Amino acid sequence: MKVARYLPFLQWLPEYNRSVCVSDALAAVIVTIMLIPQSLAYALLAGLPPQVGLYASILPLILYALFGTSRTLSVGPVAVIALMTAAALDGIAVPGSPEYLVGAILLAVMSGLILVVMGLLRLGFLANFLSHPVISGFITASGIVIAASQLKHILGVDADGHNLIELGRGLFGQRHAIHWPTVLMGVGTLAFLMLCRKRLKPLLKRFGAGDRLADIVSKSAPILAVMVTTLVTWGLGLAQQGVKVVGHVPAGLPDLSLPSMDPGLWRELFVGALLISIVGFVESVSVGQTLAAKRRQHIDPDQELIGLGMANLGAGASGGMPVTGGFSRSVVNFDAGAETPAAGAFTAVGIALATVTLTPAIAFLPKATLAAAIIVAVSTLIDLKALVRTWRYSAVDFVAMLATIVLTLTYSVEAGILAGVGLSVGLFMYRTSRPHSAVVGRVPGTEHFRNVQRHQVETHPRVAMLRVDESLYFANARFLEECVMDLVSRQPALQDVVLVCAAVNLIDASALESLEAINERLRDSGVRLHLTEVKGPVMDRLGKTDFLKDLSGRVFLSAYEAWEALTHETLVEAESKSVPLAVGP
C-alpha cells in the first residue's frame, strides 16, 4: 500500500481495459491538437526556442502519468509559468541565447527538486500561504502583462519589458515601425479566435452538434488558425516580406542531459524556482481538485507535489522548460472523456510524433498567430471584477490583492507575488492578534449562549462568560490579558470568569504563560478563572503542564454546565437575580 502511494499508477493500471484505453486515446488526440500550438507559443513567451515547448510536453507528461494522482490533469507549459520563467531569467542571460536556455532548463530541474522534497516532507500546506485574493490578483495581473507582451508580435515590432510600464514605453517608441501585413495577420487571427471562442459553440449546437463535441471543436480553433496562417505565409512568401515566423525548428526527439552545476547560477535562480514551484502547484492542485470533484474522485496534494516535481525533472532532463497543470487543456481532456493519466502519456506520444514529422511546416508559422493564440488564452485569466467582490467582502484582502496586481503590473511578477504573500501573512497576524471575543449570556429557557450585544440573554452580576473566537498564540496572548482584565475592572461584583474555548484549536507556550498570568492576577483580585468547552487536543497539551493544577477555578464540559454550577453557587452565598440584558439588534 505504501508503494502504491508513491506510484499511483499501480492503483488504476490493474483495472485498465480496452474501453478505457479508447477513451484515453481519443482524449489524447484532441489534447495533442490543442497542445502543439500552445507549447510553441509558451516557449516563445518565455523567450525560448519554440522546440523547447515541445520538449516540455513529452517526458513530463509520461512521468506525471506515473506519479500524479489526478486522472484528468493535463501537464505542460502554461502562460503564467512561462512568464515567471522569463522574469526569473531576466538579467541573467539574453533571451534566445544558449545561456538563457541553460538557465531555463536549470529552473525546471530546481523546481522539480523543490516540489519532490516538499512532497516527501508532506509540505503541501505551505501553498496555503498564497491566499485566494493574492493568487487571483497575481493571475489577473500576469494575464494583462502576458497579453501586453504579445502586442509586439501582433504589430511586428521589437519591444521588450517585463512589466506594463516597460512594455508600454517600448511599444510607444516603436510606433513608427509597425509592420502592417503582420498587423493584418495578427488582428485577423485574433478576431477569428475570439469569434470561435464566443460564437462557434452555439453555432455548432444550432446545426445539431452535441454539447461535448461543440465545446471540443470550439476549443480546437487555434490549430485551424495555425494551419491556415502557416499555409498562407508559405504560399505567399510572407516571410520574405517581413512577416516574422518561427523559423527553423530542429527535427527529432531531445537528448537527455544534466543541468548546469554552476553554484552561482543555482543561487541566482533559487527564489525564482521556488515561486514557480509554489504557484505552479497551487494552480495545478486547484484545477485537479475541481475536476476530480466532478467525478467524485480524490487527489493527494502531497503526492501531487511529487508528480509535478518528477514532471519538471523530466522537463529539465529533456531540454524543456518548467511545467504545471494547465486549466484549459485539463478541461478539454476531461470533456473529451479521459479516464486515467494514461491519456497524458498518449498525448506525449502525439507530441513526440509531431516533433519528428511536423517541424518543417512549423518553420513557416507566423509569430503573430502564436501571439494571438496566447492573448485569447490568457484573456480568461483576467478577472478585474474580483477586485470589486473582494472589496465588498474584505477590505484587508482587497489591500493584499491590489498590492499584488499593482506591483506585478509595474515592477515584476516576483515582487508582486512576494508582496502579496507578505501582506497576506502580515494582515493575518494583525487580524488574529486582536481576536474577536464576546461576553455571552444564556438564551432564556435554553442551553444556548449568545453575544450580549446581539441577543436578549440572561447574565449574572457575579459571573462573566467570555467567548474567545480564535486560537491563542504569541501574537494575541497579551490582547487576551487586556480583554479579561478590562472585563473585571468594569464589573466590581464579579467573582467568576469563564473562558469559553469552543473556537480555540491551539494554545501555544506564549498563550499558556498569559493564561497563567491571568489566573494569578484574577486570584489576587478574588476572582476565579474557569475554562469550558476545551477541545481534546488542547486539553491534552494543558494536561502536560501545571496550569490545570494551579487553576483557581474548574474546567467545565459545556457553557451550560458552567452557568448552572456557578450561578447556583452564588445563589447559595447570597440571593441575587439574573439580570436580562437586551442591547443592539
Side-chain angles (χ1 to χ4, degrees), residues 506-541:
L506 168 72
I507 298 178
D508 74 356
S510 298
L512 176 63
E513 288 192 10
S514 289
L515 287 175
E516 292 171 343
I518 291 170
N519 185 50
E520 291 302 317
R521 292 170 67 181
L522 290 181
R523 193 199 307 271
D524 294 340
S525 302
V527 179
R528 295 179 297 181
L529 175 65
H530 309 271
L531 304 179
T532 186
E533 299 186 11
V534 183
K535 294 183 177 179
V538 177
M539 184 62 78
D540 291 342
R541 297 187 68 175

Side-chain angles (χ1 to χ4, degrees), residues 436-465:
H436 179 267
S437 60
V439 176
V440 298
R442 178 175 176 244
V443 178
T446 73
E447 297 183 7
H448 300 290
F449 291 78
R450 294 292 185 269
N451 190 341
V452 298
Q453 299 294 327
R454 293 177 176 269
H455 302 273
Q456 287 190 334
V457 293
E458 296 175 352
T459 61
H460 197 287
R462 299 188 181 183
V463 179
M465 305 188 69

